[in-house]
Amino acid sequence: KHLDATVAVQCGASATPAVRLSYVVPGATWHPEYDLRFTPSGKAKVGDGNALLTVGGVVTQSTGEDWLDAEIALSTAKPALGGEAPIPYPILARSHPEDKQKTLVHGQEHRADDLRRGKAASLTAAGAELEDGGKAFVLRLPRKASVRADGRPYWFPVDDLASKATSSLVVVPARAPYVYQVAKLNNPAGFPLLAGDVHVFRGATFVGTVAVEYLAPGEPMEISLGIDEEIEVERKDLLQQKREAGLFSGSQSVAHAYRTIVHNRSDGDVVVQIREQVPVSKTADIKVTIDPAGTTAGYTLDKLRGHLSWAIALKRGATSQRDVAFTIELPKDWAVQ
């Protein structure tokens, strides 16, 4: 394929100007991919350790031209291809009589998410779909590389980043009745980590692949190191009750209560963090109250997100439980879904 470019240059006093030509072609994309290796400092099940995060980029291109021994920069910018003016789409408006009744939708926002897969993220992210936090940036490969125009993915390392890390035992019983070993560290890169897959290793052992969302520099991150099968978890529903509004009462309520039981079947003592969540009201008409009589004391509470957590120490062979109970009060003219 041959391209001709004609450039008009006003040289001035210089007779040999340097010209750099840049152009945009379709058919090329990339997405991030990471390796995380956690190495414990000692022989304990959990505790301090070291993490090595390898940032990589998977490049795919079918532009019709092989990139041989080329300098490659991975950008999150989204240039417009072509010079045609956009054609506005038609706007369709539909209407219907307003329903005066309001509905309570009781859901939970799982920021901790399922530790089996990590945070939810697209596993087939394309370059045009990269989440860059609203600010485009560029990652340059440390050395020249070649990418054939065959549409196949080519993986290249971008940077290796060492960081201190700690591992702990965590259970989110509302999501899964398992205890996970979780590595905690701060993003050690001087640039954001885009949403993508993380291949996780504990020492030399491959644990599995999890997914992470966009992480700013220095932002805390948690990566699952797999299930700890020596610790058993059981979850019970203690109460799920709706109280209708009475003749002299202007509100109704919905009460929930749960119990999490943890059994330590390992050969040593452990500390397990139990994470629960209560709803967070986003309107003044709804009030959420934690029941102190039905909730085990000693928890920490993130009021903004409704996260409750306990750190429980379990001797070898010991069993412990934690209860959480809360009530949702809402006006009587609201429906509960």
Side-chain angles (χ1 to χ4, degrees), residues 27-189:
T29 187
W30 76 280
H31 66 267
E33 198 168 275
Y34 311 98
D35 289 348
L36 179 72
R37 289 175 169 82
F38 175 79
T39 305
S41 298
K43 297 182 179 180
K45 181 187 293 286
V46 293
D48 295 336
N50 297 297
L52 179 64
L53 178 66
T54 299
V55 179
V58 180
V59 181
T60 303
Q61 67 105 346
S62 53
T63 63
E65 177 185 6
D66 291 341
W67 303 344
L68 302 178
D69 198 27
E71 295 181 359
I72 297 179
L74 308 176
S75 173
T76 64
K78 304 171 182 64
L81 298 178
E84 295 183 0
I87 300 176
Y89 289 100
I91 299 176
L92 303 178
R94 297 183 177 89
S95 63
H96 57 83
E98 181 182 1
D99 185 359
K100 297 297 183 181
Q101 187 181 45
K102 299 179 180 179
T103 303
L104 170 68
V105 178
H106 179 195
Q108 290 186 332
E109 181 180 8
H110 296 286
R111 294 289 180 90
D113 217 326
D114 189 347
L115 295 174
R116 289 174 295 182
R117 280 294 307 163
K119 296 182 178 180
S122 172
L123 303 183
T124 57
E129 299 172 348
L130 292 176
E131 175 56 55
D132 55 15
K135 181 179 180 181
F137 61 93
V138 176
L139 300 177
R140 297 187 181 278
L141 299 190
R143 57 187 62 87
K144 292 182 178 181
S146 297
V147 181
R148 299 286 182 179
D150 52 13
R152 294 189 301 168
Y154 290 81
W155 181 89
F156 300 102
V158 176
D159 204 354
D160 285 326
L161 304 158
S163 172
K164 295 293 184 181
T166 59
S167 63
S168 59
L169 299 174
V170 176
V171 57
V172 186
R175 297 291 287 170
Y178 303 106
V179 171
Y180 294 85
Q181 294 186 20
V182 178
K184 303 177 183 180
L185 65 153
N186 296 330
N187 174 11

Side-chain angles (χ1 to χ4, degrees), residues 217-329:
E219 183 175 352
M221 57 190 296
E222 290 187 338
I223 301 295
S224 172
L225 300 175
I227 296 174
D228 191 319
E229 297 181 349
E230 296 181 330
I231 304 174
E232 298 177 1
V233 178
E234 182 182 0
R235 181 174 174 83
K236 296 181 178 180
D237 290 343
L238 301 181
L239 176 66
Q240 187 170 352
Q241 184 181 65
K242 178 182 177 182
R243 180 176 61 83
E244 301 289 349
L247 180 62
F248 301 102
S249 174
S251 64
Q252 57 181 320
S253 64
V254 180
H256 294 271
Y258 306 97
R259 172 171 295 166
T260 299
I261 306 170
V262 182
H263 312 271
N264 181 13
R265 307 299 188 194
S266 67
D267 293 334
D269 302 342
V270 297
V271 176
V272 178
Q273 184 183 76
I274 299 178
R275 297 179 181 176
E276 285 283 5
Q277 186 176 34
V278 298
V280 177
S281 175
K282 297 184 178 180
T283 173
D285 292 336
I286 300 175
K287 182 180 179 181
V288 180
T289 305
I290 297 176
D291 179 8
T295 301
T296 305
Y299 61 84
T300 60
L301 173 62
D302 182 342
K303 293 183 179 181
L304 181 63
R305 297 184 293 175
H307 289 178
L308 287 83
S309 62
W310 297 265
I312 59 173
L314 290 171
K315 297 288 186 180
R316 174 184 176 183
T319 298
S320 187
Q321 68 184 37
R322 295 295 185 271
D323 296 344
V324 59
F326 57 89
T327 301
I328 306 171
E329 295 184 13

